[in-house]
Amino acid sequence: RRPGAATLGRQRWRSDGRALQKLPVHMGLVVTEEEPSYADMASLVVWCMAVGISYVSVYDHNGIFKRNNSRLMDEILKQQQELLGLDCSKYTVEFANQDKADQVLNCQSTLKVLSPEDGKADIVKAAQNFCQLVAQQQRTYTDLDVNVLDNLLSSTNGFPDPDLVLKFGPVDSTLGFLPWHIRLTEIISLPSHLNISYEDFFSALHHYAACEQRWGK
Amino acid sequence: AGPMPKHVAFIMDGNRRYAQKCHVERQQGHSQGFDKLAQTLRWCLNLGIREVTVYAFSIENFKRSKEEVDGLMDLARQKFSRLLEEQENLKKHGVCIRVLGDLPLLPLDIQELIAQAVLATRNYNKCFLNVCFAYTSRHEISNAVREMAWGVEQGLLEPSDVSESLLDKCLYTNNSPDPDLLIRTSGEVRLSDFLLWQTSHSCLVFQSVLWPEYSFWNLCEAILRFQMNYNALQKARDSYLEERRRQQMERDQAYVTEKLQQEGCASHGDSRRQRTLLQKCRAMREERIQGFLQALEHKRADFFERLCTVSA
């Protein structure tokens, strides 16, 4: 189920990624199950990084991953070593605690662990900040349009909008995951993240690669 | 049987693919799509679903060929005119029609037709049809924030009055509860900038059938999924609202504590003084908000009324 580093080199993962017609630039991993599994989420994150997905976000509506961020990071480091044979002395793996963004930097991938406060609450915060500027007469209300508001949001600083969300669990809802940012996101549902296999993960990526987007045209 | 959704939203996707499949003109596909909408509304009413919101035309759809956009605008002209002819029926069934979107983007004559339909039915309340036209969710959310900023500029609101629930009340959908169920047809699995804020905890059902081929059974399938998700979604919604209430309470307490500290150490420890000040702040905020919402309501009614006097 989980190929070990002994049998597969990192080359195989990268070529898997390249074999797809398109890869998401930002992948959202959304868990709707009540009890999240750190080991399985860590596998998913590491697989994302291995196939070459640049931005990964992890979300559960109870904010469990966010509250237990360090436990998740430990699992990820462990799996990076197991699956990719990464030697930590060779790569700079940084745990950056900047504001609310928790990022693990690894060669080419960045990770954020998100919760509901990064959704509507972040939009409200941006709105409050803008209104504060209006109160101080530094802005007028007509200054605010879609782009201005987009730039005021901070929960996904530096990340593009998610192209793909893999949603795990029986609940048919995004449960508050980044409502603003998912306007064009493909949402692929999988029954569970528990004991998820690389094959299931990859087949979802394959499904995504095949979908056509018309952009309203 | 389980609970029925009170409000269902539809992304009616697949008209063009249907037209291609049947070797007819795109315009035909859209026309069939409209007929299917009328039929689906009847099914919903028969099932006791009293509110329906549909995504009829996105701001992004203006990017389509002039021919197609003109065709869609003509369809809109036709259908809104028909609607106005059916006023007796609308009155009989108590159908309230709302059109949500950035309406000034539309041709003026369509804006006028829309205004007439909206004003003619605004007091009906047996069932509600919300048509999103010249709409995207991001525009809607930005508009809501702009309205609150306008409120601050007018001196009606304090920046600290801005909250999730106030933003809710500034959306085009402020008179409706959040959709219980969002259905998208034609197999696409994305939201395409539709009701992003309002559907954060809705049951999302993606069905592969093309919209003009939508059947009563398809609708029942979607409702079944809603029922299967009901408990989990209720629970998630409740805990979200609870957390939101808790955070607002924290913010209010912090504000009050700071205010009392500014007045001098003697009173800030006094819990009764805290409670009184908290109540007072809340009451004042509530008053500001009511005043602002009334002004907003006025502005919106004014917009429609002015359009009607133009055509009179």
Coordinates of all heavy atoms in Angstrom, one line a residue, chain B residues 96-155:
Chain B
C96 N -42.8 35.3 -4.8 CA -42.0 36.5 -4.7 C -40.7 36.3 -5.6 O -40.0 35.4 -5.4 CB -41.6 36.7 -3.2 SG -40.4 38.1 -3.0
I97 N -40.5 37.2 -6.5 CA -39.4 37.1 -7.4 C -38.3 38.1 -7.0 O -38.6 39.3 -6.9 CB -39.8 37.3 -8.8 CG1 -40.9 36.3 -9.2 CG2 -38.6 37.3 -9.8 CD1 -41.1 36.1 -10.7
R98 N -37.1 37.6 -6.8 CA -36.0 38.5 -6.6 C -34.9 38.3 -7.6 O -34.7 37.1 -8.1 CB -35.4 38.3 -5.2 CG -36.4 38.4 -4.0 CD -35.7 38.1 -2.7 NE -36.6 38.0 -1.6 CZ -36.7 36.9 -0.8 NH1 -36.0 35.9 -1.1 NH2 -37.5 36.9 0.2
V99 N -34.3 39.3 -8.1 CA -33.2 39.2 -9.0 C -31.9 39.7 -8.3 O -31.9 40.9 -7.9 CB -33.5 39.9 -10.3 CG1 -32.3 39.7 -11.3 CG2 -34.8 39.4 -10.9
L100 N -30.9 38.9 -8.2 CA -29.7 39.2 -7.5 C -28.5 39.3 -8.4 O -28.3 38.4 -9.2 CB -29.4 38.1 -6.5 CG -30.6 37.6 -5.7 CD1 -30.2 36.4 -4.8 CD2 -31.3 38.7 -4.9
G101 N -27.8 40.4 -8.3 CA -26.6 40.6 -9.1 C -26.2 42.0 -9.3 O -26.8 42.9 -8.6
D102 N -25.3 42.3 -10.1 CA -24.8 43.6 -10.4 C -25.6 44.2 -11.5 O -25.2 44.3 -12.7 CB -23.3 43.5 -10.8 CG -22.5 44.8 -10.4 OD1 -23.2 45.8 -10.2 OD2 -21.3 44.7 -10.3
L103 N -26.9 44.5 -11.2 CA -27.9 44.8 -12.3 C -27.5 45.9 -13.2 O -27.8 45.9 -14.4 CB -29.3 45.0 -11.6 CG -29.7 43.8 -10.8 CD1 -31.1 44.0 -10.2 CD2 -29.7 42.5 -11.6
P104 N -26.8 47.0 -12.7 CA -26.4 48.0 -13.6 C -25.5 47.6 -14.8 O -25.4 48.3 -15.8 CB -25.6 49.0 -12.7 CG -26.2 48.8 -11.4 CD -26.5 47.4 -11.3
L105 N -25.0 46.3 -14.7 CA -24.2 45.8 -15.9 C -25.1 45.4 -17.0 O -24.7 45.1 -18.1 CB -23.4 44.6 -15.4 CG -22.3 44.8 -14.5 CD1 -21.7 43.5 -14.1 CD2 -21.2 45.7 -15.1
L106 N -26.4 45.3 -16.8 CA -27.4 44.8 -17.8 C -27.9 45.9 -18.7 O -27.9 47.1 -18.2 CB -28.5 44.1 -17.1 CG -28.1 42.8 -16.4 CD1 -29.3 42.4 -15.4 CD2 -27.8 41.7 -17.3
P107 N -28.4 45.6 -19.9 CA -29.1 46.6 -20.7 C -30.2 47.2 -19.9 O -30.9 46.5 -19.1 CB -29.6 45.8 -21.9 CG -28.8 44.5 -21.9 CD -28.3 44.3 -20.5
L108 N -30.4 48.5 -20.1 CA -31.4 49.3 -19.3 C -32.8 48.7 -19.4 O -33.5 48.6 -18.4 CB -31.4 50.7 -19.7 CG -32.1 51.7 -18.8 CD1 -31.6 51.6 -17.4 CD2 -32.1 53.1 -19.3
D109 N -33.2 48.2 -20.6 CA -34.6 47.8 -20.7 C -34.8 46.5 -19.9 O -35.8 46.3 -19.3 CB -35.0 47.6 -22.2 CG -34.2 46.4 -22.8 OD1 -33.0 46.4 -22.7 OD2 -34.9 45.5 -23.4
I110 N -33.7 45.7 -19.8 CA -33.8 44.5 -18.9 C -33.9 44.9 -17.5 O -34.6 44.3 -16.7 CB -32.7 43.5 -19.2 CG1 -32.8 43.0 -20.7 CG2 -32.6 42.4 -18.2 CD1 -31.8 41.9 -21.1
Q111 N -33.1 45.9 -17.1 CA -33.1 46.3 -15.7 C -34.5 46.8 -15.4 O -35.1 46.5 -14.3 CB -32.2 47.5 -15.5 CG -30.7 47.2 -15.5 CD -29.9 48.4 -15.2 OE1 -30.1 49.0 -14.2 NE2 -28.9 48.7 -16.0
E112 N -35.2 47.5 -16.3 CA -36.6 48.0 -16.1 C -37.5 46.8 -15.9 O -38.4 46.8 -15.0 CB -37.0 48.9 -17.2 CG -36.3 50.2 -17.2 CD -36.4 51.0 -18.5 OE1 -37.1 50.5 -19.4 OE2 -35.7 52.0 -18.6
L113 N -37.4 45.8 -16.8 CA -38.3 44.6 -16.7 C -38.1 43.9 -15.3 O -39.1 43.5 -14.7 CB -38.0 43.6 -17.8 CG -38.5 44.0 -19.2 CD1 -37.9 43.1 -20.2 CD2 -40.0 44.1 -19.3
I114 N -36.9 43.8 -15.0 CA -36.6 43.2 -13.7 C -37.2 44.0 -12.5 O -37.8 43.4 -11.6 CB -35.0 43.1 -13.5 CG1 -34.5 42.0 -14.4 CG2 -34.7 42.8 -12.0 CD1 -32.9 41.9 -14.4
A115 N -37.0 45.3 -12.6 CA -37.5 46.1 -11.5 C -39.0 45.9 -11.4 O -39.6 45.8 -10.3 CB -37.2 47.6 -11.8
Q116 N -39.7 45.9 -12.5 CA -41.2 45.7 -12.5 C -41.5 44.4 -11.9 O -42.4 44.3 -11.0 CB -41.8 45.8 -13.9 CG -41.8 47.2 -14.5 CD -42.3 47.2 -15.9 OE1 -43.4 46.6 -16.2 NE2 -41.6 47.8 -16.8
A117 N -40.9 43.3 -12.3 CA -41.2 42.0 -11.7 C -40.9 41.9 -10.2 O -41.7 41.4 -9.4 CB -40.3 40.9 -12.4
V118 N -39.8 42.5 -9.8 CA -39.5 42.5 -8.4 C -40.4 43.3 -7.6 O -40.9 42.9 -6.5 CB -38.0 43.0 -8.2 CG1 -37.7 43.3 -6.7 CG2 -37.0 42.0 -8.7
L119 N -40.8 44.5 -8.0 CA -41.7 45.4 -7.3 C -43.1 44.8 -7.2 O -43.8 44.9 -6.2 CB -41.7 46.8 -7.8 CG -40.4 47.6 -7.5 CD1 -40.4 49.0 -8.2 CD2 -40.2 47.7 -6.0
A120 N -43.5 44.2 -8.4 CA -44.9 43.7 -8.4 C -45.1 42.5 -7.4 O -46.2 42.4 -6.9 CB -45.2 43.2 -9.8
T121 N -44.0 41.8 -7.2 CA -44.2 40.6 -6.4 C -43.5 40.7 -5.0 O -43.5 39.7 -4.2 CB -43.5 39.3 -7.1 OG1 -42.1 39.6 -7.2 CG2 -44.2 39.1 -8.4
R122 N -43.1 41.9 -4.6 CA -42.3 42.0 -3.4 C -43.0 41.6 -2.1 O -42.4 41.2 -1.2 CB -41.6 43.3 -3.3 CG -42.4 44.5 -2.8 CD -41.6 45.7 -2.5 NE -42.2 46.9 -2.9 CZ -41.6 48.1 -2.8 NH1 -40.3 48.2 -2.4 NH2 -42.2 49.2 -3.2
N123 N -44.3 41.8 -2.1 CA -45.0 41.4 -0.9 C -45.6 40.0 -0.9 O -46.2 39.6 0.1 CB -46.1 42.4 -0.6 CG -45.6 43.8 -0.3 OD1 -44.6 43.9 0.4 ND2 -46.1 44.8 -1.0
Y124 N -45.4 39.3 -1.9 CA -45.8 37.9 -1.9 C -44.9 37.0 -1.1 O -43.7 37.3 -1.1 CB -45.9 37.3 -3.3 CG -46.9 38.1 -4.2 CD1 -46.7 38.1 -5.6 CD2 -48.0 38.8 -3.7 CE1 -47.5 38.9 -6.4 CE2 -48.8 39.5 -4.5 CZ -48.6 39.6 -5.9 OH -49.4 40.3 -6.7
N125 N -45.5 36.0 -0.4 CA -44.6 35.3 0.5 C -44.9 33.8 0.7 O -44.5 33.2 1.6 CB -44.6 35.9 1.9 CG -46.0 35.9 2.5 OD1 -46.9 35.3 1.9 ND2 -46.2 36.5 3.7
K126 N -45.6 33.3 -0.3 CA -45.9 31.8 -0.2 C -44.7 31.0 -0.7 O -44.3 30.0 -0.1 CB -47.1 31.4 -1.1 CG -48.4 31.9 -0.5 CD -49.4 30.7 -0.4 CE -50.9 31.3 -0.3 NZ -51.3 31.7 -1.7
C127 N -44.0 31.6 -1.7 CA -42.7 30.9 -2.2 C -41.8 32.0 -2.8 O -42.3 33.0 -3.2 CB -43.0 29.8 -3.1 SG -43.9 30.2 -4.5
F128 N -40.6 31.6 -2.9 CA -39.6 32.6 -3.3 C -38.7 32.1 -4.4 O -38.1 31.0 -4.3 CB -38.7 33.0 -2.1 CG -39.5 33.5 -1.0 CD1 -40.0 32.7 0.0 CD2 -39.8 34.9 -0.8 CE1 -40.8 33.1 1.1 CE2 -40.6 35.4 0.2 CZ -41.1 34.5 1.2
L129 N -38.5 32.8 -5.5 CA -37.6 32.5 -6.5 C -36.5 33.6 -6.7 O -36.9 34.7 -6.9 CB -38.4 32.3 -7.9 CG -37.5 32.2 -9.1 CD1 -36.6 30.9 -9.0 CD2 -38.3 32.2 -10.4
N130 N -35.3 33.2 -6.4 CA -34.2 34.1 -6.5 C -33.4 33.8 -7.8 O -32.9 32.7 -7.9 CB -33.3 34.0 -5.3 CG -34.1 34.1 -4.0 OD1 -34.8 35.1 -3.8 ND2 -33.9 33.1 -3.1
V131 N -33.3 34.8 -8.7 CA -32.6 34.6 -9.9 C -31.3 35.4 -9.9 O -31.3 36.6 -9.8 CB -33.5 35.0 -11.1 CG1 -32.7 34.8 -12.4 CG2 -34.8 34.4 -11.1
C132 N -30.2 34.6 -9.9 CA -28.9 35.3 -9.9 C -28.6 35.7 -11.4 O -28.4 34.8 -12.2 CB -27.8 34.5 -9.3 SG -28.1 34.3 -7.5
F133 N -28.5 36.9 -11.7 CA -28.4 37.4 -13.0 C -27.3 38.5 -13.0 O -27.5 39.5 -12.2 CB -29.7 37.9 -13.5 CG -29.9 37.8 -15.0 CD1 -30.2 36.6 -15.6 CD2 -29.8 38.9 -15.8 CE1 -30.4 36.4 -16.9 CE2 -30.0 38.8 -17.2 CZ -30.3 37.5 -17.7
A134 N -26.3 38.4 -13.9 CA -25.2 39.4 -13.8 C -24.6 39.3 -12.4 O -24.3 40.3 -11.7 CB -25.6 40.8 -14.1
Y135 N -24.3 38.0 -12.0 CA -23.9 37.7 -10.6 C -22.6 37.0 -10.5 O -22.3 36.1 -11.4 CB -25.0 36.9 -10.0 CG -24.7 36.3 -8.6 CD1 -25.1 37.0 -7.4 CD2 -23.9 35.2 -8.4 CE1 -24.8 36.5 -6.2 CE2 -23.6 34.7 -7.2 CZ -24.0 35.4 -6.1 OH -23.7 34.9 -4.8
T136 N -21.8 37.3 -9.6 CA -20.8 36.4 -9.1 C -20.7 36.6 -7.6 O -21.0 37.6 -7.0 CB -19.3 36.6 -9.6 OG1 -18.8 37.7 -9.0 CG2 -19.3 36.6 -11.1
S137 N -20.3 35.5 -6.9 CA -20.3 35.6 -5.4 C -19.3 36.6 -4.9 O -19.5 37.3 -4.0 CB -19.9 34.2 -4.9 OG -20.1 34.1 -3.5
R138 N -18.1 36.7 -5.6 CA -17.1 37.6 -5.2 C -17.6 39.0 -5.3 O -17.3 39.9 -4.5 CB -15.8 37.4 -5.9 CG -15.0 36.2 -5.4 CD -13.6 36.2 -6.0 NE -12.9 35.0 -5.5 CZ -11.6 34.8 -5.7 NH1 -10.9 35.6 -6.5 NH2 -11.0 33.7 -5.2
H139 N -18.3 39.3 -6.4 CA -18.9 40.7 -6.5 C -19.9 40.9 -5.4 O -19.9 42.0 -4.9 CB -19.6 40.8 -7.9 CG -18.6 41.2 -9.0 ND1 -17.9 40.2 -9.7 CD2 -18.3 42.3 -9.6 CE1 -17.1 40.8 -10.6 NE2 -17.4 42.1 -10.6
E140 N -20.7 39.9 -5.1 CA -21.7 40.0 -4.1 C -21.0 40.3 -2.7 O -21.5 41.2 -2.0 CB -22.5 38.8 -4.0 CG -23.6 38.9 -2.9 CD -24.4 37.6 -2.7 OE1 -23.8 36.5 -3.0 OE2 -25.5 37.7 -2.3
I141 N -20.0 39.6 -2.4 CA -19.3 39.8 -1.1 C -18.7 41.1 -1.1 O -18.8 41.8 -0.1 CB -18.3 38.6 -0.9 CG1 -19.0 37.3 -0.7 CG2 -17.5 38.9 0.4 CD1 -18.1 36.1 -0.7
S142 N -18.0 41.5 -2.2 CA -17.3 42.8 -2.2 C -18.4 43.9 -2.1 O -18.1 44.9 -1.4 CB -16.6 43.0 -3.5 OG -15.7 41.9 -3.8
N143 N -19.5 43.7 -2.7 CA -20.6 44.7 -2.6 C -21.0 44.9 -1.2 O -21.3 46.0 -0.7 CB -21.7 44.3 -3.5 CG -22.9 45.3 -3.4 OD1 -23.9 45.1 -2.8 ND2 -22.7 46.5 -4.1
A144 N -21.2 43.7 -0.5 CA -21.6 43.8 0.9 C -20.6 44.5 1.7 O -21.0 45.4 2.6 CB -21.8 42.4 1.4
V145 N -19.3 44.3 1.5 CA -18.3 45.0 2.3 C -18.3 46.5 1.9 O -18.2 47.4 2.8 CB -16.9 44.4 2.0 CG1 -15.8 45.2 2.7 CG2 -16.8 43.0 2.5
R146 N -18.5 46.8 0.7 CA -18.6 48.2 0.2 C -19.8 48.9 0.9 O -19.7 50.1 1.3 CB -18.8 48.3 -1.3 CG -18.3 49.6 -1.9 CD -18.1 49.5 -3.4 NE -19.1 48.7 -4.1 CZ -18.8 47.7 -4.9 NH1 -17.6 47.3 -5.1 NH2 -19.8 47.0 -5.4
E147 N -20.9 48.2 1.0 CA -22.1 48.8 1.7 C -21.8 49.1 3.1 O -22.2 50.2 3.7 CB -23.3 47.8 1.6 CG -23.8 47.5 0.2 CD -24.5 48.7 -0.5 OE1 -24.3 49.9 -0.1 OE2 -25.3 48.4 -1.4
M148 N -21.1 48.2 3.8 CA -20.7 48.5 5.2 C -19.7 49.7 5.3 O -19.9 50.5 6.2 CB -20.1 47.2 5.9 CG -21.1 46.1 6.0 SD -20.5 44.7 7.0 CE -19.2 44.0 5.9
A149 N -18.8 49.7 4.3 CA -17.9 50.9 4.3 C -18.7 52.2 4.0 O -18.4 53.2 4.6 CB -16.8 50.7 3.2
W150 N -19.7 52.1 3.2 CA -20.6 53.2 3.0 C -21.2 53.6 4.3 O -21.3 54.8 4.6 CB -21.6 52.9 1.9 CG -22.7 53.9 1.7 CD1 -22.7 55.1 1.1 CD2 -24.0 53.7 2.2 NE1 -23.9 55.7 1.1 CE2 -24.7 54.9 1.8 CE3 -24.7 52.7 2.9 CZ2 -26.1 55.1 2.1 CZ3 -26.1 53.0 3.2 CH2 -26.7 54.1 2.8
G151 N -21.7 52.6 5.0 CA -22.3 52.9 6.3 C -21.4 53.6 7.2 O -21.8 54.5 8.0
V152 N -20.1 53.2 7.2 CA -19.1 53.9 8.1 C -18.9 55.3 7.6 O -18.9 56.3 8.4 CB -17.8 53.1 8.1 CG1 -16.7 53.9 8.8 CG2 -18.0 51.8 8.8
E153 N -18.8 55.5 6.3 CA -18.6 56.8 5.8 C -19.8 57.8 6.1 O -19.6 59.0 6.3 CB -18.4 56.7 4.2 CG -17.5 57.7 3.7 CD -16.9 57.4 2.3 OE1 -16.3 56.3 2.1 OE2 -17.2 58.2 1.4
Q154 N -21.0 57.2 6.1 CA -22.2 58.0 6.4 C -22.4 58.2 7.9 O -23.3 58.9 8.3 CB -23.5 57.2 5.9 CG -23.6 56.9 4.5 CD -23.9 58.2 3.7 OE1 -24.8 58.9 4.1 NE2 -23.1 58.5 2.7
G155 N -21.5 57.7 8.7 CA -21.6 57.8 10.1 C -22.6 57.0 10.8 O -23.0 57.2 11.9

